[in-house]
Amino acid sequence: MRPARKESQDSSAAASAVKDSTFGARHVAIIMDGNGRWAKKKHLPRALGHKKGVEAVRNIVRVAGETGIEVLTLYAFSSENWNRPRDEISDLMGLLRQYIQSDIEEFVENGIKLKVIGNYKGLEPDIVRLIEGALDRTAGNDRMTLAIALNYGAQDEIIRAVQTIAGAVQQGDVEPDKINAGHIADALDTADLPPLDLLIRTSGELRLSNFLLWQAAYSELYFTDVLWPDFDKRELQKALRSFGDRQRRFGGR
Ligand code: IPE
Ligand code: IPE
Ligand code: MG
């Protein structure tokens, strides 16, 4: 039938437009680093660097949604960030509270599904409640998934996955020598997300800092000297273009 065909042509045109702007990257993750150095450069308190960092988050979430990225995963607080001074931790938690409260309506309106990876139940109880409320309210959305890594460490995530699998072994659900990569992937916090295509780190540091160690096995890596508060649409597009220029071989030839 003509109308049906027209519709499918339209949607395939839309799909290829999205592919053009994302260069085929479905899942992009960012280690948002450099808030402190951004503030220092401007002789401002670190807290203002973090505040500016939240503005960059807000902007990049919008841009990622418009670009057609399916999943954007943001490293917001690591399991090692508890080693920071108490004042700074409290500034970061305050900003997290504010961010969820002020942006939840926008997530609902824009079809953004929130997901949290990491041991978020280790955060303060009121933040856990805010997170769970936001997860609930956005569960039916499907335009883009925004996965925020909170109290996240990849080693901790892998340990928790191993505990889950050990439990299944104990129940007699899996034979130890039958455990495979699928069991591990399914037990990680990212179980329901597509494979990680592109991992970006800002601020010039060349390390992963315990982020997505399992998931990044064949991700393309992109490092930029730009400090997180300055990371904008242009910088994301640069990273995606660089991804588009890569030849992914996955060990083949
Ligand atoms: C990233 O900025 C934010 C978090 C880690 C929470 P930093 O606070 O690490 O900034 P730098 O690395 O000190 O510049
Ligand atoms: C990584 O940044 C964690 C986040 C961006 C949340 P850090 O600033 O904590 O990393 P290191 O300490 O320089 O490795
Ligand atoms: Mg840092």
Side-chain angles (χ1 to χ4, degrees), residues 32-37 46 50 76 81 84 88 92:
M32 310 183 289
D33 198 13
N35 294 349
R37 277 162 285 166
R46 282 183 74 86
H50 292 312
N81 285 148
R84 296 195 177 198
E88 182 168 356
L92 288 166

Side-chain angles (χ1 to χ4, degrees), residues 3-13:
R5 235 183 93 205
K6 168 87 170 59
E7 196 173 272
S8 88
Q9 277 171 348
D10 283 354
S11 64
S12 77

Side-chain angles (χ1 to χ4, degrees), residues 8-246:
S8 88
Q9 277 171 348
D10 283 354
S11 64
S12 77
S16 72
V18 161
K19 191 146 189 288
D20 285 351
S21 46
T22 65
F23 296 90
R26 297 175 62 198
H27 183 177
V28 175
I30 310 179
I31 302 174
M32 310 183 289
D33 198 13
N35 294 349
R37 277 162 285 166
W38 183 92
K40 191 164 183 206
K41 247 177 53 186
K42 296 193 146 42
H43 308 285
L44 296 168
R46 282 183 74 86
L48 276 183
H50 292 312
K51 192 159 177 253
K52 203 62 189 156
V54 175
E55 286 172 32
V57 167
R58 192 167 279 133
N59 181 47
I60 229 62
V61 168
R62 283 180 193 144
V63 168
E66 288 159 12
T67 308
I69 288 170
E70 275 175 54
V71 180
L72 177 68
T73 300
L74 299 178
Y75 204 5
F77 194 85
S78 78
S79 50
E80 286 74 38
N81 285 148
W82 297 111
N83 296 326
R84 296 195 177 198
R86 210 186 317 174
D87 281 2
E88 182 168 356
I89 294 174
S90 141
D91 288 340
L92 288 166
M93 292 302 148
L95 285 169
L96 174 61
R97 257 187 210 99
Q98 266 178 28
Y99 177 66
I100 302 173
Q101 283 169 328
S102 60
D103 284 45
I104 176 72
E105 294 307 330
E106 184 168 332
F107 298 161
V108 172
E109 276 165 34
N110 290 349
I112 291 172
K113 177 179 183 166
L114 187 70
K115 181 179 167 71
V116 173
I117 62 170
N119 186 11
Y120 74 88
K121 293 196 174 153
L123 300 175
E124 288 163 49
D126 72 301
I127 299 186
V128 174
R129 278 196 298 277
L130 271 176
I131 290 172
E132 290 180 340
L135 292 173
D136 246 29
R137 283 198 63 196
T138 62
N141 291 349
D142 61 4
R143 178 152 167 260
M144 181 179 85
T145 296
L146 171 63
I148 306 186
L150 290 172
N151 193 15
Y152 176 91
Q155 291 181 342
D156 171 68
E157 181 192 32
I158 292 169
I159 291 166
R160 287 184 285 107
V162 169
Q163 289 168 343
T164 303
I165 295 167
V169 168
Q170 203 171 34
Q171 295 293 312
D173 294 338
V174 201
E175 294 288 322
D177 58 355
K178 294 281 178 335
I179 295 171
N180 58 35
H183 290 110
I184 297 180
D186 286 347
L188 293 171
D189 298 346
T190 51
D192 49 345
L193 301 181
L196 178 61
D197 295 308
L198 174 62
L199 174 54
I200 299 170
R201 181 169 189 149
T202 61
S203 88
E205 305 294 354
L206 305 179
R207 57 176 170 268
L208 296 181
S209 302
N210 203 11
F211 194 44
L212 302 176
L213 298 183
W214 173 276
Q215 295 85 344
Y218 270 107
S219 306
E220 295 298 325
L221 308 180
Y222 179 89
F223 296 97
T224 171
D225 287 338
V226 171
L227 302 172
W228 174 250
D230 293 327
F231 192 88
D232 58 10
K233 179 173 181 173
R234 231 185 89 226
E235 297 300 331
L236 180 66
Q237 284 172 338
K238 261 204 247 176
L240 289 169
R241 259 199 307 279
S242 165
F243 173 82
D245 289 340
R246 312 281 179 94

